[in-house]
Amino acid sequence: MQQEEVVLKLRNVTKKIGNRRIVDDLSFDVPAGEVFGFLGPNGAGKTTTIRMIVGLISMTQGEIAVKGISVRKQFELAMTHIGAIVENPEMYKFLTGYQNLVHFARRHSGVTKERIEEVIKLVGLQNRIHEKVKRYSLGMRQRLGVAQALLHRPSVLILDEPTNGLDPAGIRELRDYLRKLSREEGIAVIVSSHLLSEMELMCDRVAIIQAGKLIDVRSLQETADEAKPYKIAIDVNDPRRAYELVSASFQNANVSLQGNRLELVTDRARIPDIARLLVNAELDIYGIHATQKSLEDQFLEMTGGEMVV
Ligand SMILES: Nc1ncnc2c1ncn2[C@@H]1O[C@H](COP(=O)(O)OP(=O)(O)OP(=O)(O)O)[C@@H](O)[C@H]1O
Ligand SMILES: [Mg+2]
């Protein structure tokens, strides 16, 4: 299936500037048809990573492959599979949207008139394409930029902070057509943002990046309730003893004492085991309170509270 073909592969990608590791050992894969997000606070290294993928800057170490083609070794060929908007897309304001597309089409071989019509439809600019770009709203310019990036039928579309400056309706439209591109055209779409709320709306998975490092790659679509961790608070007659028992048996559960309550984080299936452990040790339980942590809580924890949500 097309869904499983990896179209972008990063391995140990590192960028050093001076003594600083701006991007530090990033590795991940993006399959065809996925909307994949780079999520991280300002300065995390999102733009730097994108610039390395599209070859605007060199890597200090590591490998990037687009459809199996090395960006380092076969740059030109690798780039035929990438469409990107990094920073502001260049546009000729005094030309129409259509004239801009015709102009940019000349940069690639084999972009037909039909293809130009096709990308215009894909981004929904049919009705305004013959107007001058200076009359376009920000959202329309954004779409024209995406249309331009799609002209040569790339397998990977990369957009750095595409929602910047868009209103909620604009963000919604962007989301809808990026999803359409990924589902219908099988394109892998990579977007960056510092806003979790936007990423949740747009992406299948996100890579969480902080201070140049990959903290985690998460799926956002299959957040089945069962799979999400629970935060458990237990009201028990001897919290200290309970703490000793539970922390010995449940490592990685982040067990702590909060006043007279024992707190920990675990999945739902283990709650009865914990209760049993305490009861078998003849402790008296007065209450077990389980709450699910929101994705937002999880992100905040992972990034030490620096995430802008
Ligand atoms: N040419 C450069 N020289 C020195 N430092 C740089 C250079 N380019 C980027 N940096 C630093 O690298 C870090 C990562 O920058 P980058 O632009 O990749 O972050 P970002 O995640 O895109 O942030 P933002 O959300 O603000 O766009 C920052 O600390 C930045 O100052
Ligand atoms: Mg950036």
Short mmCIF file of all heavy atoms in Angstrom, two decimals, residues 145-196:
data_model
loop_
_atom_site.label_atom_id
_atom_site.label_comp_id
_atom_site.label_asym_id
_atom_site.label_seq_id
_atom_site.Cartn_x
_atom_site.Cartn_y
_atom_site.Cartn_z
N GLY A 145 0.97 29.93 -2.92
CA GLY A 145 2.29 29.37 -2.60
C GLY A 145 2.25 27.84 -2.63
O GLY A 145 3.15 27.20 -3.17
N VAL A 146 1.20 27.27 -2.06
CA VAL A 146 1.08 25.81 -2.04
C VAL A 146 0.90 25.30 -3.47
O VAL A 146 1.53 24.31 -3.87
CB VAL A 146 -0.09 25.37 -1.13
CG1 VAL A 146 -0.34 23.87 -1.28
CG2 VAL A 146 0.21 25.71 0.32
N ALA A 147 0.06 26.00 -4.25
CA ALA A 147 -0.16 25.60 -5.64
C ALA A 147 1.18 25.58 -6.38
O ALA A 147 1.52 24.63 -7.10
CB ALA A 147 -1.13 26.56 -6.32
N GLN A 148 1.96 26.62 -6.18
CA GLN A 148 3.27 26.73 -6.81
C GLN A 148 4.18 25.57 -6.40
O GLN A 148 4.85 24.95 -7.23
CB GLN A 148 3.88 28.07 -6.40
CG GLN A 148 5.28 28.28 -6.87
CD GLN A 148 5.94 29.38 -6.04
OE1 GLN A 148 5.31 30.39 -5.73
NE2 GLN A 148 7.18 29.18 -5.68
N ALA A 149 4.15 25.25 -5.10
CA ALA A 149 5.01 24.17 -4.60
C ALA A 149 4.58 22.80 -5.13
O ALA A 149 5.35 21.85 -5.10
CB ALA A 149 5.01 24.18 -3.07
N LEU A 150 3.33 22.71 -5.60
CA LEU A 150 2.81 21.41 -6.05
C LEU A 150 2.96 21.19 -7.56
O LEU A 150 2.71 20.09 -8.05
CB LEU A 150 1.31 21.30 -5.72
CG LEU A 150 0.95 21.14 -4.26
CD1 LEU A 150 -0.56 21.24 -4.09
CD2 LEU A 150 1.47 19.81 -3.72
N LEU A 151 3.36 22.23 -8.27
CA LEU A 151 3.38 22.17 -9.74
C LEU A 151 4.08 20.93 -10.29
O LEU A 151 3.59 20.29 -11.20
CB LEU A 151 4.05 23.43 -10.31
CG LEU A 151 3.19 24.70 -10.35
CD1 LEU A 151 4.05 25.92 -10.69
CD2 LEU A 151 2.04 24.54 -11.35
N HIS A 152 5.23 20.60 -9.75
CA HIS A 152 6.02 19.50 -10.30
C HIS A 152 5.69 18.15 -9.69
O HIS A 152 6.49 17.23 -9.76
CB HIS A 152 7.52 19.83 -10.16
CG HIS A 152 7.95 19.99 -8.74
ND1 HIS A 152 7.48 20.97 -7.90
CD2 HIS A 152 8.82 19.27 -7.97
CE1 HIS A 152 8.03 20.86 -6.71
NE2 HIS A 152 8.85 19.83 -6.73
N ARG A 153 4.50 18.04 -9.08
CA ARG A 153 4.02 16.77 -8.50
C ARG A 153 5.01 16.18 -7.49
O ARG A 153 5.46 15.03 -7.65
CB ARG A 153 3.78 15.71 -9.58
CG ARG A 153 2.74 16.06 -10.60
CD ARG A 153 2.57 14.92 -11.58
NE ARG A 153 1.71 15.34 -12.66
CZ ARG A 153 0.38 15.31 -12.59
NH1 ARG A 153 -0.21 14.86 -11.53
NH2 ARG A 153 -0.33 15.75 -13.61
N PRO A 154 5.33 16.93 -6.47
CA PRO A 154 6.26 16.38 -5.48
C PRO A 154 5.59 15.27 -4.65
O PRO A 154 4.36 15.22 -4.57
CB PRO A 154 6.57 17.58 -4.58
CG PRO A 154 5.36 18.45 -4.69
CD PRO A 154 4.86 18.27 -6.10
N SER A 155 6.40 14.42 -4.06
CA SER A 155 5.87 13.40 -3.15
C SER A 155 5.80 13.92 -1.73
O SER A 155 5.12 13.37 -0.88
CB SER A 155 6.78 12.17 -3.15
OG SER A 155 6.88 11.65 -4.44
N VAL A 156 6.60 14.98 -1.48
CA VAL A 156 6.65 15.56 -0.14
C VAL A 156 6.40 17.07 -0.26
O VAL A 156 7.06 17.74 -1.06
CB VAL A 156 8.04 15.33 0.51
CG1 VAL A 156 8.07 15.91 1.92
CG2 VAL A 156 8.41 13.86 0.52
N LEU A 157 5.45 17.56 0.50
CA LEU A 157 5.19 19.01 0.53
C LEU A 157 5.55 19.51 1.92
O LEU A 157 5.08 18.97 2.92
CB LEU A 157 3.70 19.28 0.25
CG LEU A 157 3.24 20.73 0.39
CD1 LEU A 157 3.84 21.60 -0.71
CD2 LEU A 157 1.72 20.84 0.37
N ILE A 158 6.42 20.53 1.98
CA ILE A 158 6.87 21.01 3.29
C ILE A 158 6.48 22.48 3.46
O ILE A 158 6.81 23.31 2.61
CB ILE A 158 8.40 20.88 3.43
CG1 ILE A 158 8.81 19.42 3.18
CG2 ILE A 158 8.86 21.33 4.80
CD1 ILE A 158 10.30 19.18 3.29
N LEU A 159 5.78 22.77 4.54
CA LEU A 159 5.35 24.14 4.80
C LEU A 159 5.80 24.55 6.19
O LEU A 159 5.41 23.93 7.19
CB LEU A 159 3.82 24.24 4.71
CG LEU A 159 3.16 23.67 3.45
CD1 LEU A 159 1.64 23.70 3.59
CD2 LEU A 159 3.59 24.46 2.22
N ASP A 160 6.61 25.59 6.25
CA ASP A 160 7.10 26.07 7.56
C ASP A 160 6.09 27.07 8.12
O ASP A 160 5.83 28.10 7.50
CB ASP A 160 8.48 26.73 7.36
CG ASP A 160 9.19 26.97 8.69
OD1 ASP A 160 8.78 26.38 9.71
OD2 ASP A 160 10.15 27.76 8.69
N GLU A 161 5.53 26.76 9.26
CA GLU A 161 4.54 27.61 9.93
C GLU A 161 3.45 28.11 8.99
O GLU A 161 3.24 29.32 8.86
CB GLU A 161 5.24 28.84 10.56
CG GLU A 161 6.39 28.49 11.49
CD GLU A 161 5.99 28.44 12.97
OE1 GLU A 161 4.81 28.72 13.29
OE2 GLU A 161 6.86 28.09 13.77
N PRO A 162 2.73 27.20 8.34
CA PRO A 162 1.76 27.64 7.33
C PRO A 162 0.58 28.41 7.90
O PRO A 162 -0.09 29.12 7.15
CB PRO A 162 1.28 26.32 6.71
CG PRO A 162 1.48 25.31 7.77
CD PRO A 162 2.71 25.74 8.51
N THR A 163 0.32 28.29 9.18
CA THR A 163 -0.86 28.95 9.72
C THR A 163 -0.56 30.37 10.22
O THR A 163 -1.48 31.08 10.61
CB THR A 163 -1.47 28.14 10.88
OG1 THR A 163 -0.45 27.92 11.85
CG2 THR A 163 -1.99 26.81 10.40
N ASN A 164 0.72 30.75 10.18
CA ASN A 164 1.08 32.10 10.63
C ASN A 164 0.22 33.17 9.97
O ASN A 164 0.18 33.27 8.76
CB ASN A 164 2.53 32.40 10.26
CG ASN A 164 3.44 32.19 11.45
OD1 ASN A 164 2.97 31.81 12.52
ND2 ASN A 164 4.74 32.42 11.26
N GLY A 165 -0.44 33.95 10.78
CA GLY A 165 -1.20 35.07 10.24
C GLY A 165 -2.57 34.71 9.68
O GLY A 165 -3.30 35.60 9.27
N LEU A 166 -2.92 33.44 9.66
CA LEU A 166 -4.25 33.08 9.16
C LEU A 166 -5.29 33.16 10.27
O LEU A 166 -4.98 32.89 11.43
CB LEU A 166 -4.26 31.65 8.59
CG LEU A 166 -3.38 31.34 7.39
CD1 LEU A 166 -3.66 29.92 6.90
CD2 LEU A 166 -3.62 32.33 6.26
N ASP A 167 -6.51 33.52 9.90
CA ASP A 167 -7.59 33.52 10.91
C ASP A 167 -8.13 32.09 11.05
O ASP A 167 -7.76 31.20 10.29
CB ASP A 167 -8.67 34.53 10.52
CG ASP A 167 -9.39 34.17 9.25
OD1 ASP A 167 -9.20 33.04 8.75
OD2 ASP A 167 -10.14 35.01 8.73
N PRO A 168 -8.99 31.86 12.05
CA PRO A 168 -9.46 30.49 12.28
C PRO A 168 -10.10 29.86 11.04
O PRO A 168 -9.88 28.67 10.76
CB PRO A 168 -10.50 30.64 13.39
CG PRO A 168 -10.03 31.85 14.14
CD PRO A 168 -9.46 32.78 13.11
N ALA A 169 -10.84 30.65 10.26
CA ALA A 169 -11.46 30.08 9.06
C ALA A 169 -10.38 29.70 8.05
O ALA A 169 -10.45 28.65 7.41
CB ALA A 169 -12.42 31.08 8.44
N GLY A 170 -9.36 30.55 7.94
CA GLY A 170 -8.25 30.27 7.02
C GLY A 170 -7.50 29.02 7.43
O GLY A 170 -7.11 28.21 6.59
N ILE A 171 -7.31 28.85 8.74
CA ILE A 171 -6.60 27.66 9.25
C ILE A 171 -7.42 26.41 8.94
O ILE A 171 -6.89 25.39 8.51
CB ILE A 171 -6.36 27.78 10.77
CG1 ILE A 171 -5.37 28.91 11.04
CG2 ILE A 171 -5.86 26.46 11.35
CD1 ILE A 171 -5.18 29.25 12.49
N ARG A 172 -8.72 26.54 9.09
CA ARG A 172 -9.59 25.40 8.81
C ARG A 172 -9.53 25.00 7.34
O ARG A 172 -9.43 23.82 7.00
CB ARG A 172 -11.02 25.79 9.17
CG ARG A 172 -11.85 24.61 9.42
CD ARG A 172 -13.31 24.91 9.29
NE ARG A 172 -13.97 23.65 9.11
CZ ARG A 172 -14.42 22.93 10.13
NH1 ARG A 172 -14.28 23.36 11.36
NH2 ARG A 172 -14.98 21.78 9.90
N GLU A 173 -9.55 26.00 6.48
CA GLU A 173 -9.47 25.70 5.04
C GLU A 173 -8.13 25.06 4.69
O GLU A 173 -8.06 24.10 3.94
CB GLU A 173 -9.66 26.98 4.23
CG GLU A 173 -11.11 27.37 4.13
CD GLU A 173 -11.30 28.77 3.61
OE1 GLU A 173 -10.30 29.41 3.21
OE2 GLU A 173 -12.44 29.23 3.61
N LEU A 174 -7.07 25.64 5.26
CA LEU A 174 -5.74 25.09 5.02
C LEU A 174 -5.70 23.62 5.43
O LEU A 174 -5.26 22.75 4.70
CB LEU A 174 -4.70 25.88 5.81
CG LEU A 174 -3.27 25.38 5.72
CD1 LEU A 174 -2.65 25.75 4.39
CD2 LEU A 174 -2.41 25.95 6.85
N ARG A 175 -6.23 23.38 6.61
CA ARG A 175 -6.26 22.01 7.11
C ARG A 175 -7.01 21.09 6.15
O ARG A 175 -6.56 20.01 5.82
CB ARG A 175 -6.95 22.00 8.47
CG ARG A 175 -7.14 20.63 9.02
CD ARG A 175 -8.01 20.67 10.23
NE ARG A 175 -9.40 20.76 9.88
CZ ARG A 175 -10.35 21.07 10.75
NH1 ARG A 175 -10.05 21.40 11.98
NH2 ARG A 175 -11.60 21.09 10.38
N ASP A 176 -8.17 21.56 5.70
CA ASP A 176 -8.98 20.71 4.82
C ASP A 176 -8.26 20.38 3.52
O ASP A 176 -8.28 19.26 3.07
CB ASP A 176 -10.33 21.39 4.52
CG ASP A 176 -11.21 21.40 5.76
OD1 ASP A 176 -10.89 20.68 6.72
OD2 ASP A 176 -12.21 22.15 5.76
N TYR A 177 -7.61 21.38 2.94
CA TYR A 177 -7.00 21.01 1.67
C TYR A 177 -5.67 20.30 1.82
O TYR A 177 -5.29 19.49 0.98
CB TYR A 177 -7.01 22.15 0.63
CG TYR A 177 -6.04 23.25 0.78
CD1 TYR A 177 -4.71 23.07 0.46
CD2 TYR A 177 -6.47 24.50 1.19
CE1 TYR A 177 -3.82 24.10 0.56
CE2 TYR A 177 -5.58 25.54 1.30
CZ TYR A 177 -4.25 25.33 0.99
OH TYR A 177 -3.37 26.35 1.11
N LEU A 178 -4.98 20.50 2.93
CA LEU A 178 -3.77 19.70 3.16
C LEU A 178 -4.14 18.23 3.38
O LEU A 178 -3.48 17.32 2.88
CB LEU A 178 -2.97 20.22 4.36
CG LEU A 178 -2.29 21.58 4.18
CD1 LEU A 178 -1.47 21.93 5.41
CD2 LEU A 178 -1.41 21.62 2.94
N ARG A 179 -5.23 18.03 4.08
CA ARG A 179 -5.70 16.64 4.30
C ARG A 179 -6.11 16.01 2.97
O ARG A 179 -5.85 14.85 2.72
CB ARG A 179 -6.89 16.62 5.26
CG ARG A 179 -6.48 16.88 6.67
CD ARG A 179 -7.38 16.14 7.65
NE ARG A 179 -6.65 15.88 8.86
CZ ARG A 179 -5.95 14.79 9.09
NH1 ARG A 179 -5.91 13.84 8.20
NH2 ARG A 179 -5.29 14.64 10.21
N LYS A 180 -6.76 16.82 2.15
CA LYS A 180 -7.19 16.31 0.84
C LYS A 180 -5.97 15.91 0.01
O LYS A 180 -5.93 14.85 -0.60
CB LYS A 180 -8.00 17.41 0.13
CG LYS A 180 -8.70 16.93 -1.10
CD LYS A 180 -9.68 17.97 -1.62
CE LYS A 180 -9.16 18.55 -2.90
NZ LYS A 180 -9.89 19.66 -3.44
N LEU A 181 -4.96 16.77 0.03
CA LEU A 181 -3.72 16.47 -0.71
C LEU A 181 -3.11 15.16 -0.24
O LEU A 181 -2.66 14.35 -1.04
CB LEU A 181 -2.69 17.56 -0.48
CG LEU A 181 -2.87 18.86 -1.22
CD1 LEU A 181 -1.81 19.85 -0.76
CD2 LEU A 181 -2.72 18.59 -2.70
N SER A 182 -3.09 14.98 1.06
CA SER A 182 -2.45 13.78 1.58
C SER A 182 -3.29 12.55 1.27
O SER A 182 -2.77 11.53 0.83
CB SER A 182 -2.18 13.91 3.07
OG SER A 182 -3.39 13.96 3.79
N ARG A 183 -4.59 12.65 1.45
CA ARG A 183 -5.46 11.49 1.23
C ARG A 183 -5.60 11.16 -0.26
O ARG A 183 -5.49 10.02 -0.66
CB ARG A 183 -6.87 11.74 1.77
CG ARG A 183 -6.94 12.02 3.23
CD ARG A 183 -6.69 10.78 4.08
NE ARG A 183 -6.65 11.15 5.49
CZ ARG A 183 -5.57 11.52 6.14
NH1 ARG A 183 -4.40 11.53 5.51
NH2 ARG A 183 -5.61 11.87 7.40
N GLU A 184 -5.88 12.20 -1.05
CA GLU A 184 -6.23 11.92 -2.45
C GLU A 184 -5.01 11.80 -3.35
O GLU A 184 -5.01 11.06 -4.31
CB GLU A 184 -7.17 13.00 -2.99
CG GLU A 184 -8.55 12.90 -2.34
CD GLU A 184 -9.48 14.03 -2.74
OE1 GLU A 184 -9.19 14.73 -3.73
OE2 GLU A 184 -10.49 14.21 -2.04
N GLU A 185 -3.98 12.57 -3.04
CA GLU A 185 -2.81 12.55 -3.92
C GLU A 185 -1.68 11.70 -3.34
O GLU A 185 -0.66 11.53 -3.98
CB GLU A 185 -2.29 13.97 -4.13
CG GLU A 185 -3.35 14.97 -4.58
CD GLU A 185 -3.51 15.00 -6.08
OE1 GLU A 185 -2.52 15.28 -6.77
OE2 GLU A 185 -4.63 14.73 -6.56
N GLY A 186 -1.87 11.25 -2.11
CA GLY A 186 -0.83 10.43 -1.48
C GLY A 186 0.44 11.19 -1.15
O GLY A 186 1.51 10.61 -0.97
N ILE A 187 0.32 12.52 -1.08
CA ILE A 187 1.50 13.34 -0.79
C ILE A 187 1.75 13.33 0.73
O ILE A 187 0.81 13.37 1.51
CB ILE A 187 1.26 14.79 -1.26
CG1 ILE A 187 1.12 14.82 -2.78
CG2 ILE A 187 2.35 15.74 -0.79
CD1 ILE A 187 0.76 16.18 -3.33
N ALA A 188 3.00 13.25 1.12
CA ALA A 188 3.34 13.42 2.53
C ALA A 188 3.44 14.92 2.77
O ALA A 188 4.16 15.61 2.06
CB ALA A 188 4.66 12.74 2.86
N VAL A 189 2.69 15.43 3.73
CA VAL A 189 2.70 16.86 4.00
C VAL A 189 3.38 17.08 5.34
O VAL A 189 3.02 16.45 6.33
CB VAL A 189 1.26 17.44 4.04
CG1 VAL A 189 1.30 18.94 4.35
CG2 VAL A 189 0.53 17.19 2.73
N ILE A 190 4.38 17.97 5.34
CA ILE A 190 5.08 18.25 6.59
C ILE A 190 4.86 19.72 6.95
O ILE A 190 5.12 20.60 6.12
CB ILE A 190 6.57 17.93 6.45
CG1 ILE A 190 6.66 16.41 6.27
CG2 ILE A 190 7.36 18.38 7.67
CD1 ILE A 190 8.00 15.95 5.85
N VAL A 191 4.32 19.94 8.12
CA VAL A 191 4.07 21.32 8.56
C VAL A 191 4.77 21.54 9.89
O VAL A 191 4.95 20.61 10.66
CB VAL A 191 2.56 21.61 8.73
CG1 VAL A 191 1.85 21.64 7.39
CG2 VAL A 191 1.87 20.60 9.64
N SER A 192 5.15 22.79 10.15
CA SER A 192 5.73 23.08 11.46
C SER A 192 4.85 24.09 12.18
O SER A 192 4.14 24.86 11.53
CB SER A 192 7.13 23.66 11.30
OG SER A 192 7.04 24.98 10.81
N SER A 193 4.90 24.05 13.48
CA SER A 193 4.15 25.02 14.26
C SER A 193 4.62 24.98 15.71
O SER A 193 5.20 23.99 16.15
CB SER A 193 2.65 24.70 14.22
OG SER A 193 1.93 25.55 15.06
N HIS A 194 4.37 26.06 16.45
CA HIS A 194 4.63 25.99 17.88
C HIS A 194 3.31 25.82 18.63
O HIS A 194 3.27 25.82 19.85
CB HIS A 194 5.37 27.24 18.35
CG HIS A 194 4.67 28.51 18.02
ND1 HIS A 194 4.77 29.09 16.77
CD2 HIS A 194 3.85 29.27 18.73
CE1 HIS A 194 4.03 30.18 16.75
NE2 HIS A 194 3.45 30.30 17.92
N LEU A 195 2.21 25.67 17.89
CA LEU A 195 0.90 25.57 18.52
C LEU A 195 0.34 24.16 18.47
O LEU A 195 0.00 23.65 17.41
CB LEU A 195 -0.08 26.52 17.84
CG LEU A 195 0.21 28.00 18.03
CD1 LEU A 195 -0.63 28.83 17.08
CD2 LEU A 195 -0.03 28.41 19.47
N LEU A 196 0.25 23.54 19.62
CA LEU A 196 -0.29 22.19 19.70
C LEU A 196 -1.72 22.14 19.17
O LEU A 196 -2.10 21.23 18.46
CB LEU A 196 -0.25 21.72 21.15
CG LEU A 196 -1.05 20.45 21.43
CD1 LEU A 196 -0.46 19.28 20.68
CD2 LEU A 196 -1.09 20.17 22.92
#
